[in-house]
Amino acid sequence: NHFGATYIARAKTYETMLEFSMDNYFNNNFLNTSTLFIQHPNSTAYNALPSNNVNAWNRSMMFMHAYQTLGQIHEVLGDNSSKATMYKTIVKNWVDLFVKNALPRTAPDGAAIYDWGYGNFGDESGHLTGEQIGIHAQYDIWGLTRAYRAAYTGATAAQMKTYADTVVHEITLSIDSAGAATYAGFNDRCCSTQTYNYLPAGFTYLTPYNTAIFKPAANADINSGRLAHTPGTAADVLWAKHWIFIHSSPPNYTLSAGPGTQTITAGNGTSYTATVTPSNGFNGTVSLSVSGLPSGASCNSPSISGGSGSASLSCSTTISTAPGTYTLTITGTSGSLSHTATVTLVVNQPPPPDFTLSASPATQTVTAGSGTNYAITVGALNGFAANVTLTVSGLPTGGTGSFNPASVNGSGSSTLTVSTASSTSTGTVTLTIKGTSGSLSHSKTVTLTVNPATICTTATANGTWNNTAFPALSGSFTATFDATPSASGQSSAVGISKGAQIAFSGFANIVAFATTGVIQARNGGTYVNSAVHYSGGTAYHFRLAINVTAHTYSIFVTPAGGTEQSIGTNFAFRTEQNTVTSLDHWGALVSTTSTGTLKVCNFTAQ
């Protein structure tokens, strides 16, 4: 038939023919080449299935048989790794989806089992009837077990056991005196009037994951006559019998642990991971313990249930644990079975006792004459338990600092209280907080800003200017102050000048509270009314942006609780002062024709 003269030639011919079928029919009609998932073929029959869903499980598992077979042929021949990988991915995608959609259930006897429906049609969480075990479910399991044994799926040993347990604890209805079982028609016992006197062949391949499947199924096949008359059933039974024969060793497990070495400092802890791997159907609980620990060290004693899995062994040491390299023996015990694994623990000498020092907040601001606090924290390292004395340096002239308590034993907190007087120098200073214990000392710095005490001048209705000096300024600078007229409709003013002045004409910049109830500012030779009205007893914050060189200034005011408003922009210095080169005084006045006072506070110029 021109297939080839040798077995290898015939195999390659068979492979070529299979690839022709895949490339020219299956992949074109049944495969989503972007996702490598089986999809509905373009036919009326398949399009009648729910849209946008993949095939029924049993149909797709039959597709998987073709893809897995061809993928394994490529692996054996080693002639096309990309195709082998592609086909393995197709199988894995679908079989993993099948496993993902299994619903955990509990059998009548309490065993954990799975339930699944006809296909992935979006109803897996609420289907009314499980999969029919004969013509459908046996193909589902047939595809799953083939993929698992070939490592074409990510299904786990625990999941395979649960599928096998589903046969033993859910699908098996009864076992007669001859040891033959009767099986439910569906994997969730639904519609149990439909029963089988044999186990459909595909389920036989779950025998390695629960050997209790074999005898009742084999006896049922004998009693029903299927063993004598159905070659496929006979082959399945013989395969399972052979598997049990060559795997007749009792259930057991191996124990491994890692990482091989952990290094810590005495007083600290670490962990290792112990892993149990089952064999021959082992599903017991393994209790773990650790020996070989140095004095002062200990580890927890977890257990691993279900025959497989991992657990973390958390180990700790004390500050007194002797430095050295120790071999730890991890022992796993399950009944009469016991296995060990070894790891290494390296314990290093701890550093000497010490302490830490911290302070918060990093900065504080006070007005001269008031005080503030900093929170000081002392922490212990490596068993430190001595007394730490606290001191502070860098205080401003006229400032004092005290700690409560003045020292901390081992670890704890203290409060640094800084007090100032009205005469305390203003500005920002760096405070150094120092903790001392014998030869050990640590420092922490914080900042303290001392603002000037509030200074106010009150002018009375005597028509006399109250002058106050400030450092001479030229060029551009900003002057700010707060002014409070005691009465509405008052005639009062604040001005800035070169030298102390006794008349309005001596002030370059003037803002005034007019008898008309509005705030004015001098612009060259005249006063200009603003749109800002004032009220007696209300404080007004003024900001003057002054350009001595250009002999102009802009005036802004913020009423108490309000927003800043403009009074005038680029007003000219008073005409008589349009040649001054610097300004160094400010003054306040209330006209003799008015009543009340004008209080001016917090004047700054910079």
Side-chain angles (χ1 to χ4, degrees):
N1 293 320
H2 307 290
F3 287 155
T6 64
Y7 289 121
I8 188 66
R10 294 170 190 168
K12 291 181 178 179
T13 300
Y14 178 61
E15 176 193 52
T16 300
M17 296 173 70
L18 289 177
E19 282 291 4
F20 180 87
S21 298
M22 289 297 182
D23 290 339
N24 292 279
Y25 183 68
F26 282 90
N27 293 345
N28 292 340
N29 292 283
F30 301 97
L31 181 68
N32 184 327
T33 55
S34 297
T35 63
L36 295 184
F37 270 91
I38 295 298
Q39 63 183 9
H40 294 160
N42 187 21
S43 72
T44 302
Y46 278 84
N47 286 338
L49 295 172
S51 60
N52 300 318
N53 283 290
V54 288
N55 268 338
W57 299 127
N58 68 93
R59 299 177 184 180
S60 294
M61 289 301 186
M62 287 186 273
F63 284 126
M64 292 308 105
H65 180 80
Y67 282 113
Q68 181 174 332
T69 298
L70 187 50
Q72 290 180 282
I73 288 173
H74 282 304
E75 289 179 343
V76 170
L77 296 178
D79 59 352
N80 193 327
S81 60
S82 63
K83 278 291 183 72
T85 299
M86 173 184 173
Y87 294 143
K88 186 172 184 177
T89 301
I90 294 170
V91 175
K92 185 177 186 303
N93 284 346
W94 190 262
V95 176
D96 286 355
L97 182 63
F98 170 73
V99 174
K100 177 182 178 181
N101 280 348
L103 298 176
R105 294 284 191 261
T106 301
D109 62 1
I113 60 168
Y114 285 148
D115 178 16
W116 67 96
Y118 179 67
N120 184 39
F121 302 133
D123 63 346
E124 293 306 296
S125 63
H127 58 258
L128 300 177
T129 303
E131 179 75 306
Q132 195 267 350
I133 73 166
I135 195 169
H136 294 156
Q138 68 163 326
Y139 289 103
D140 304 344
I141 298 302
W142 173 63
L144 169 65
T145 52
R146 289 187 72 251
Y148 181 78
R149 291 179 63 82
Y152 272 42
T153 174
T156 65
Q159 290 171 323
M160 297 302 294
K161 182 180 182 305
T162 303
Y163 280 105
D165 288 350
T166 302
V167 175
V168 174
H169 298 279
E170 177 74 5
I171 296 175
T172 301
L173 296 177
S174 63
I175 300 176
D176 63 20
S177 58
T182 300
Y183 299 95
F186 293 81
N187 65 0
D188 60 354
R189 293 198 180 206
C190 169
C191 315
S192 57
T193 54
Q194 179 182 347
T195 60
Y196 287 82
N197 62 352
Y198 66 93
L199 182 67
F203 288 95
T204 308
Y205 294 106
L206 287 171
T207 297
Y209 317 110
N210 189 331
T211 55
I213 291 174
F214 176 70
K215 284 187 179 180
N219 287 332
D221 288 332
I222 292 171
N223 291 352
S224 65
R226 292 183 65 82
L227 191 65
H229 302 293
T230 308
T233 298
D236 296 338
V237 169
L238 290 175
W239 178 89
K241 181 179 180 181
H242 178 69
W243 189 94
I244 291 174
F245 177 78
I246 64 174
H247 293 85
S248 58
S249 299
N252 209 333
Y253 66 93
T254 59
L255 180 68
S256 60
T261 301
Q262 292 281 46
T263 301
I264 61 172
T265 299
N268 295 323
T270 188
S271 64
Y272 300 89
T273 298
T275 301
V276 168
T277 302
S279 60
N280 303 322
F282 175 79
N283 62 359
T285 296
V286 178
S287 299
L288 302 172
S289 61
V290 181
S291 59
L293 290 163
S295 177
S298 62
C299 299
N300 66 331
S301 300
S303 60
I304 299 172
S305 60
S308 65
S310 299
S312 177
L313 293 156
S314 299
C315 302
S316 62
T317 63
T318 65
I319 197 72
S320 61
T321 299
T325 299
Y326 303 90
T327 298
L328 308 185
T329 299
I330 300 171
T331 301
T333 304
S334 180
S336 61
L337 298 176
S338 179
H339 297 287
T340 62
T342 60
V343 292
T344 299
L345 175 66
V346 178
V347 180
N348 291 331
Q349 180 74 38
D354 202 349
F355 68 91
T356 61
L357 186 69
S358 63
S360 66
T363 183
Q364 291 279 45
T365 300
V366 297
T367 299
S370 60
T372 189
N373 295 323
Y374 297 88
I376 313 303
T377 302
V378 175
L381 298 175
N382 311 315
F384 178 83
N387 194 63
V388 177
T389 301
L390 300 170
T391 58
V392 61
S393 60
L395 291 164
T397 303
T400 61
S402 62
F403 292 92
N404 183 23
S407 62
V408 174
N409 192 43
S411 63
S413 58
S414 178
T415 300
L416 168 60
T417 299
V418 176
S419 300
T420 64
S422 59
S423 60
T424 297
S425 56
T426 60
T428 299
V429 295
T430 298
L431 306 182
T432 300
I433 301 163
K434 186 176 183 180
T436 304
S437 180
S439 61
L440 298 174
S441 67
H442 296 287
S443 298
K444 203 70 177 178
T445 59
V446 293
T447 59
L448 173 68
T449 299
V450 181
N451 290 330
T454 301
I455 299 175
C456 298
T457 293
T458 301
T460 60
N462 59 9
T464 300
W465 284 96
N466 294 342
N467 289 280
T468 302
F470 62 85
L473 295 172
S474 59
S476 296
F477 69 93
T478 299
T480 63
F481 55 89
D482 299 314
T484 306
S486 65
S488 302
Q490 184 184 80
S491 175
S492 57
V494 178
I496 300 175
S497 63
K498 172 65 174 177
Q501 301 296 325
I502 61 172
F504 277 91
S505 59
F507 291 88
N509 318 120
I510 302 174
V511 294
F513 295 96
T515 57
T516 56
V518 298
I519 296 177
Q520 300 175 330
R522 184 78 177 197
N523 184 7
T526 186
Y527 287 97
V528 176
N529 289 331
S530 72
V532 181
H533 291 260
Y534 72 92
S535 298
T538 300
Y540 296 86
H541 179 74
F542 288 89
R543 179 170 65 89
L544 278 62
I546 301 170
N547 187 332
V548 179
T549 303
H551 298 101
T552 61
Y553 70 113
S554 297
I555 311 96
F556 306 90
V557 65
T558 305
T563 57
E564 187 176 75
Q565 302 176 56
S566 174
I567 294 177
T569 303
N570 291 327
F571 277 18
F573 280 21
R574 185 171 178 123
T575 306
E576 295 89 338
Q577 302 298 322
N578 61 8
T579 59
V580 296
T581 58
S582 64
L583 299 173
D584 55 16
H585 278 72
W586 66 274
L589 171 144
V590 178
S591 172
T592 56
T593 61
S594 294
T595 59
T597 61
L598 177 63
K599 184 178 181 181
V600 181
C601 300
N602 306 318
F603 184 93
T604 64
Q606 56 186 14

